[in-house]
Amino acid sequence: MTAIDDRARPPLVSLGDIAKSFGAVKALGGVSLDLAPGECIGLAGHNGAGKSTLMQVLAGNVTPDTGRLAVDGTPVSGGFGVAAANRAGIRSVSYTHLRAHETKANL
């Protein structure tokens, strides 16, 4: 496939104006993101910036309050959960760095 063909394809994943609040805390306020096939990105931000919440929406663990989600050009409705994300090849893996003296048991 040529670069022109890649641009003609819809994004593999498209998030549009995603918003999510937990009570009075606004975790996401209108986030939009398009990911192309084979693209690898990094999200950086301060604690509480909404990085994990955005990934949890993408992985189907959290339902956004508002916004649009499409996978491979197909809009996804409120029924997008973990099973649907997995069928689309979307996974979320959390990573916690443990220092030499820590274990999961004492965190």
PDB file of all heavy atoms in Angstrom, residues 33-59:
ATOM      1  N   LEU A  33      -8.900  12.346  19.105  1.00  0.00           N
ATOM      2  CA  LEU A  33      -7.665  11.665  18.748  1.00  0.00           C
ATOM      3  C   LEU A  33      -7.956  10.677  17.630  1.00  0.00           C
ATOM      4  O   LEU A  33      -8.919   9.914  17.710  1.00  0.00           O
ATOM      5  CB  LEU A  33      -7.118  10.919  19.979  1.00  0.00           C
ATOM      6  CG  LEU A  33      -5.894  10.043  19.801  1.00  0.00           C
ATOM      7  CD1 LEU A  33      -4.667  10.891  19.504  1.00  0.00           C
ATOM      8  CD2 LEU A  33      -5.662   9.200  21.049  1.00  0.00           C
ATOM      9  N   ASP A  34      -7.153  10.712  16.575  1.00  0.00           N
ATOM     10  CA  ASP A  34      -7.234   9.727  15.496  1.00  0.00           C
ATOM     11  C   ASP A  34      -5.939   8.931  15.468  1.00  0.00           C
ATOM     12  O   ASP A  34      -4.855   9.506  15.558  1.00  0.00           O
ATOM     13  CB  ASP A  34      -7.409  10.408  14.137  1.00  0.00           C
ATOM     14  CG  ASP A  34      -8.792  10.985  13.939  1.00  0.00           C
ATOM     15  OD1 ASP A  34      -9.725  10.565  14.650  1.00  0.00           O
ATOM     16  OD2 ASP A  34      -8.952  11.861  13.060  1.00  0.00           O
ATOM     17  N   LEU A  35      -6.076   7.610  15.345  1.00  0.00           N
ATOM     18  CA  LEU A  35      -4.921   6.720  15.269  1.00  0.00           C
ATOM     19  C   LEU A  35      -4.972   5.946  13.961  1.00  0.00           C
ATOM     20  O   LEU A  35      -5.970   5.292  13.658  1.00  0.00           O
ATOM     21  CB  LEU A  35      -4.910   5.737  16.436  1.00  0.00           C
ATOM     22  CG  LEU A  35      -4.828   6.359  17.828  1.00  0.00           C
ATOM     23  CD1 LEU A  35      -5.060   5.314  18.893  1.00  0.00           C
ATOM     24  CD2 LEU A  35      -3.474   7.011  18.003  1.00  0.00           C
ATOM     25  N   ALA A  36      -3.895   6.015  13.200  1.00  0.00           N
ATOM     26  CA  ALA A  36      -3.802   5.304  11.927  1.00  0.00           C
ATOM     27  C   ALA A  36      -3.302   3.879  12.166  1.00  0.00           C
ATOM     28  O   ALA A  36      -2.641   3.604  13.172  1.00  0.00           O
ATOM     29  CB  ALA A  36      -2.842   6.047  10.996  1.00  0.00           C
ATOM     30  N   PRO A  37      -3.589   2.962  11.240  1.00  0.00           N
ATOM     31  CA  PRO A  37      -3.061   1.606  11.369  1.00  0.00           C
ATOM     32  C   PRO A  37      -1.534   1.631  11.490  1.00  0.00           C
ATOM     33  O   PRO A  37      -0.856   2.343  10.757  1.00  0.00           O
ATOM     34  CB  PRO A  37      -3.486   0.930  10.059  1.00  0.00           C
ATOM     35  CG  PRO A  37      -4.676   1.705   9.614  1.00  0.00           C
ATOM     36  CD  PRO A  37      -4.416   3.128  10.045  1.00  0.00           C
ATOM     37  N   GLY A  38      -0.999   0.894  12.459  1.00  0.00           N
ATOM     38  CA  GLY A  38       0.441   0.804  12.665  1.00  0.00           C
ATOM     39  C   GLY A  38       1.048   1.973  13.413  1.00  0.00           C
ATOM     40  O   GLY A  38       2.238   1.959  13.712  1.00  0.00           O
ATOM     41  N   GLU A  39       0.252   2.973  13.727  1.00  0.00           N
ATOM     42  CA  GLU A  39       0.775   4.154  14.422  1.00  0.00           C
ATOM     43  C   GLU A  39       0.958   3.856  15.904  1.00  0.00           C
ATOM     44  O   GLU A  39       0.146   3.181  16.524  1.00  0.00           O
ATOM     45  CB  GLU A  39      -0.200   5.317  14.243  1.00  0.00           C
ATOM     46  CG  GLU A  39       0.283   6.616  14.809  1.00  0.00           C
ATOM     47  CD  GLU A  39      -0.653   7.777  14.472  1.00  0.00           C
ATOM     48  OE1 GLU A  39      -1.841   7.551  14.202  1.00  0.00           O
ATOM     49  OE2 GLU A  39      -0.171   8.908  14.485  1.00  0.00           O
ATOM     50  N   CYS A  40       2.027   4.361  16.458  1.00  0.00           N
ATOM     51  CA  CYS A  40       2.320   4.200  17.874  1.00  0.00           C
ATOM     52  C   CYS A  40       2.524   5.596  18.452  1.00  0.00           C
ATOM     53  O   CYS A  40       3.332   6.365  17.934  1.00  0.00           O
ATOM     54  CB  CYS A  40       3.578   3.358  18.066  1.00  0.00           C
ATOM     55  SG  CYS A  40       4.011   3.092  19.787  1.00  0.00           S
ATOM     56  N   ILE A  41       1.775   5.934  19.484  1.00  0.00           N
ATOM     57  CA  ILE A  41       1.901   7.257  20.088  1.00  0.00           C
ATOM     58  C   ILE A  41       2.187   7.118  21.573  1.00  0.00           C
ATOM     59  O   ILE A  41       2.015   6.048  22.153  1.00  0.00           O
ATOM     60  CB  ILE A  41       0.626   8.108  19.897  1.00  0.00           C
ATOM     61  CG1 ILE A  41      -0.548   7.498  20.672  1.00  0.00           C
ATOM     62  CG2 ILE A  41       0.299   8.268  18.429  1.00  0.00           C
ATOM     63  CD1 ILE A  41      -1.679   8.451  20.882  1.00  0.00           C
ATOM     64  N   GLY A  42       2.594   8.195  22.174  1.00  0.00           N
ATOM     65  CA  GLY A  42       2.758   8.255  23.620  1.00  0.00           C
ATOM     66  C   GLY A  42       1.913   9.388  24.151  1.00  0.00           C
ATOM     67  O   GLY A  42       1.773  10.426  23.506  1.00  0.00           O
ATOM     68  N   LEU A  43       1.302   9.185  25.287  1.00  0.00           N
ATOM     69  CA  LEU A  43       0.537  10.237  25.958  1.00  0.00           C
ATOM     70  C   LEU A  43       1.335  10.681  27.167  1.00  0.00           C
ATOM     71  O   LEU A  43       1.746   9.864  27.977  1.00  0.00           O
ATOM     72  CB  LEU A  43      -0.826   9.726  26.424  1.00  0.00           C
ATOM     73  CG  LEU A  43      -1.855   9.423  25.356  1.00  0.00           C
ATOM     74  CD1 LEU A  43      -3.116   8.861  25.999  1.00  0.00           C
ATOM     75  CD2 LEU A  43      -2.185  10.658  24.548  1.00  0.00           C
ATOM     76  N   ALA A  44       1.522  11.975  27.277  1.00  0.00           N
ATOM     77  CA  ALA A  44       2.242  12.513  28.422  1.00  0.00           C
ATOM     78  C   ALA A  44       1.404  13.614  29.036  1.00  0.00           C
ATOM     79  O   ALA A  44       0.674  14.312  28.343  1.00  0.00           O
ATOM     80  CB  ALA A  44       3.595  13.075  27.982  1.00  0.00           C
ATOM     81  N   GLY A  45       1.508  13.746  30.331  1.00  0.00           N
ATOM     82  CA  GLY A  45       0.780  14.802  31.022  1.00  0.00           C
ATOM     83  C   GLY A  45       0.929  14.655  32.514  1.00  0.00           C
ATOM     84  O   GLY A  45       1.404  13.645  33.022  1.00  0.00           O
ATOM     85  N   HIS A  46       0.486  15.679  33.203  1.00  0.00           N
ATOM     86  CA  HIS A  46       0.549  15.691  34.662  1.00  0.00           C
ATOM     87  C   HIS A  46      -0.407  14.656  35.250  1.00  0.00           C
ATOM     88  O   HIS A  46      -1.335  14.190  34.574  1.00  0.00           O
ATOM     89  CB  HIS A  46       0.181  17.077  35.200  1.00  0.00           C
ATOM     90  CG  HIS A  46       1.157  18.134  34.811  1.00  0.00           C
ATOM     91  ND1 HIS A  46       2.393  18.244  35.382  1.00  0.00           N
ATOM     92  CD2 HIS A  46       1.072  19.126  33.893  1.00  0.00           C
ATOM     93  CE1 HIS A  46       3.037  19.258  34.848  1.00  0.00           C
ATOM     94  NE2 HIS A  46       2.255  19.813  33.922  1.00  0.00           N
ATOM     95  N   ASN A  47      -0.209  14.320  36.510  1.00  0.00           N
ATOM     96  CA  ASN A  47      -1.159  13.469  37.215  1.00  0.00           C
ATOM     97  C   ASN A  47      -2.530  14.138  37.166  1.00  0.00           C
ATOM     98  O   ASN A  47      -2.641  15.347  37.365  1.00  0.00           O
ATOM     99  CB  ASN A  47      -0.742  13.275  38.678  1.00  0.00           C
ATOM    100  CG  ASN A  47       0.455  12.371  38.817  1.00  0.00           C
ATOM    101  OD1 ASN A  47       0.796  11.648  37.901  1.00  0.00           O
ATOM    102  ND2 ASN A  47       1.097  12.426  39.971  1.00  0.00           N
ATOM    103  N   GLY A  48      -3.547  13.348  36.884  1.00  0.00           N
ATOM    104  CA  GLY A  48      -4.901  13.883  36.830  1.00  0.00           C
ATOM    105  C   GLY A  48      -5.267  14.540  35.514  1.00  0.00           C
ATOM    106  O   GLY A  48      -6.326  15.144  35.388  1.00  0.00           O
ATOM    107  N   ALA A  49      -4.404  14.432  34.502  1.00  0.00           N
ATOM    108  CA  ALA A  49      -4.666  15.082  33.219  1.00  0.00           C
ATOM    109  C   ALA A  49      -5.678  14.323  32.359  1.00  0.00           C
ATOM    110  O   ALA A  49      -6.180  14.863  31.386  1.00  0.00           O
ATOM    111  CB  ALA A  49      -3.362  15.257  32.439  1.00  0.00           C
ATOM    112  N   GLY A  50      -5.968  13.066  32.683  1.00  0.00           N
ATOM    113  CA  GLY A  50      -6.957  12.295  31.940  1.00  0.00           C
ATOM    114  C   GLY A  50      -6.389  11.231  31.024  1.00  0.00           C
ATOM    115  O   GLY A  50      -7.133  10.598  30.274  1.00  0.00           O
ATOM    116  N   LYS A  51      -5.087  11.007  31.083  1.00  0.00           N
ATOM    117  CA  LYS A  51      -4.463  10.012  30.202  1.00  0.00           C
ATOM    118  C   LYS A  51      -5.056   8.624  30.416  1.00  0.00           C
ATOM    119  O   LYS A  51      -5.473   7.968  29.461  1.00  0.00           O
ATOM    120  CB  LYS A  51      -2.943   9.954  30.451  1.00  0.00           C
ATOM    121  CG  LYS A  51      -2.215  11.264  30.294  1.00  0.00           C
ATOM    122  CD  LYS A  51      -0.764  11.152  30.708  1.00  0.00           C
ATOM    123  CE  LYS A  51      -0.529  10.751  32.145  1.00  0.00           C
ATOM    124  NZ  LYS A  51      -0.953  11.705  33.176  1.00  0.00           N
ATOM    125  N   SER A  52      -5.107   8.189  31.643  1.00  0.00           N
ATOM    126  CA  SER A  52      -5.629   6.850  31.944  1.00  0.00           C
ATOM    127  C   SER A  52      -7.112   6.754  31.634  1.00  0.00           C
ATOM    128  O   SER A  52      -7.577   5.738  31.110  1.00  0.00           O
ATOM    129  CB  SER A  52      -5.390   6.501  33.413  1.00  0.00           C
ATOM    130  OG  SER A  52      -4.011   6.403  33.675  1.00  0.00           O
ATOM    131  N   THR A  53      -7.858   7.795  31.920  1.00  0.00           N
ATOM    132  CA  THR A  53      -9.287   7.785  31.620  1.00  0.00           C
ATOM    133  C   THR A  53      -9.525   7.653  30.126  1.00  0.00           C
ATOM    134  O   THR A  53     -10.381   6.874  29.692  1.00  0.00           O
ATOM    135  CB  THR A  53      -9.967   9.061  32.157  1.00  0.00           C
ATOM    136  OG1 THR A  53      -9.746   9.149  33.569  1.00  0.00           O
ATOM    137  CG2 THR A  53     -11.457   9.049  31.879  1.00  0.00           C
ATOM    138  N   LEU A  54      -8.753   8.361  29.318  1.00  0.00           N
ATOM    139  CA  LEU A  54      -8.893   8.256  27.862  1.00  0.00           C
ATOM    140  C   LEU A  54      -8.609   6.831  27.400  1.00  0.00           C
ATOM    141  O   LEU A  54      -9.340   6.274  26.573  1.00  0.00           O
ATOM    142  CB  LEU A  54      -7.956   9.242  27.168  1.00  0.00           C
ATOM    143  CG  LEU A  54      -8.074   9.301  25.652  1.00  0.00           C
ATOM    144  CD1 LEU A  54      -9.455   9.801  25.244  1.00  0.00           C
ATOM    145  CD2 LEU A  54      -6.986  10.172  25.070  1.00  0.00           C
ATOM    146  N   MET A  55      -7.566   6.223  27.932  1.00  0.00           N
ATOM    147  CA  MET A  55      -7.239   4.851  27.542  1.00  0.00           C
ATOM    148  C   MET A  55      -8.304   3.866  28.031  1.00  0.00           C
ATOM    149  O   MET A  55      -8.608   2.889  27.341  1.00  0.00           O
ATOM    150  CB  MET A  55      -5.861   4.451  28.081  1.00  0.00           C
ATOM    151  CG  MET A  55      -4.710   5.198  27.428  1.00  0.00           C
ATOM    152  SD  MET A  55      -4.617   4.976  25.631  1.00  0.00           S
ATOM    153  CE  MET A  55      -5.517   6.401  25.023  1.00  0.00           C
ATOM    154  N   GLN A  56      -8.904   4.132  29.174  1.00  0.00           N
ATOM    155  CA  GLN A  56      -9.965   3.268  29.677  1.00  0.00           C
ATOM    156  C   GLN A  56     -11.221   3.384  28.818  1.00  0.00           C
ATOM    157  O   GLN A  56     -11.947   2.403  28.632  1.00  0.00           O
ATOM    158  CB  GLN A  56     -10.262   3.579  31.140  1.00  0.00           C
ATOM    159  CG  GLN A  56      -9.135   3.200  32.089  1.00  0.00           C
ATOM    160  CD  GLN A  56      -8.757   1.736  31.984  1.00  0.00           C
ATOM    161  OE1 GLN A  56      -9.606   0.849  31.997  1.00  0.00           O
ATOM    162  NE2 GLN A  56      -7.470   1.469  31.871  1.00  0.00           N
ATOM    163  N   VAL A  57     -11.491   4.577  28.283  1.00  0.00           N
ATOM    164  CA  VAL A  57     -12.597   4.735  27.325  1.00  0.00           C
ATOM    165  C   VAL A  57     -12.300   3.916  26.083  1.00  0.00           C
ATOM    166  O   VAL A  57     -13.146   3.163  25.592  1.00  0.00           O
ATOM    167  CB  VAL A  57     -12.802   6.228  26.970  1.00  0.00           C
ATOM    168  CG1 VAL A  57     -13.719   6.380  25.752  1.00  0.00           C
ATOM    169  CG2 VAL A  57     -13.363   6.996  28.159  1.00  0.00           C
ATOM    170  N   LEU A  58     -11.094   4.033  25.561  1.00  0.00           N
ATOM    171  CA  LEU A  58     -10.701   3.304  24.361  1.00  0.00           C
ATOM    172  C   LEU A  58     -10.761   1.794  24.574  1.00  0.00           C
ATOM    173  O   LEU A  58     -11.162   1.050  23.684  1.00  0.00           O
ATOM    174  CB  LEU A  58      -9.289   3.714  23.930  1.00  0.00           C
ATOM    175  CG  LEU A  58      -8.724   3.052  22.689  1.00  0.00           C
ATOM    176  CD1 LEU A  58      -9.617   3.318  21.478  1.00  0.00           C
ATOM    177  CD2 LEU A  58      -7.320   3.547  22.429  1.00  0.00           C
ATOM    178  N   ALA A  59     -10.407   1.330  25.759  1.00  0.00           N
ATOM    179  CA  ALA A  59     -10.395  -0.107  26.064  1.00  0.00           C
ATOM    180  C   ALA A  59     -11.778  -0.642  26.435  1.00  0.00           C
ATOM    181  O   ALA A  59     -11.941  -1.835  26.645  1.00  0.00           O
ATOM    182  CB  ALA A  59      -9.412  -0.393  27.193  1.00  0.00           C
TER     183      ALA A  59
END
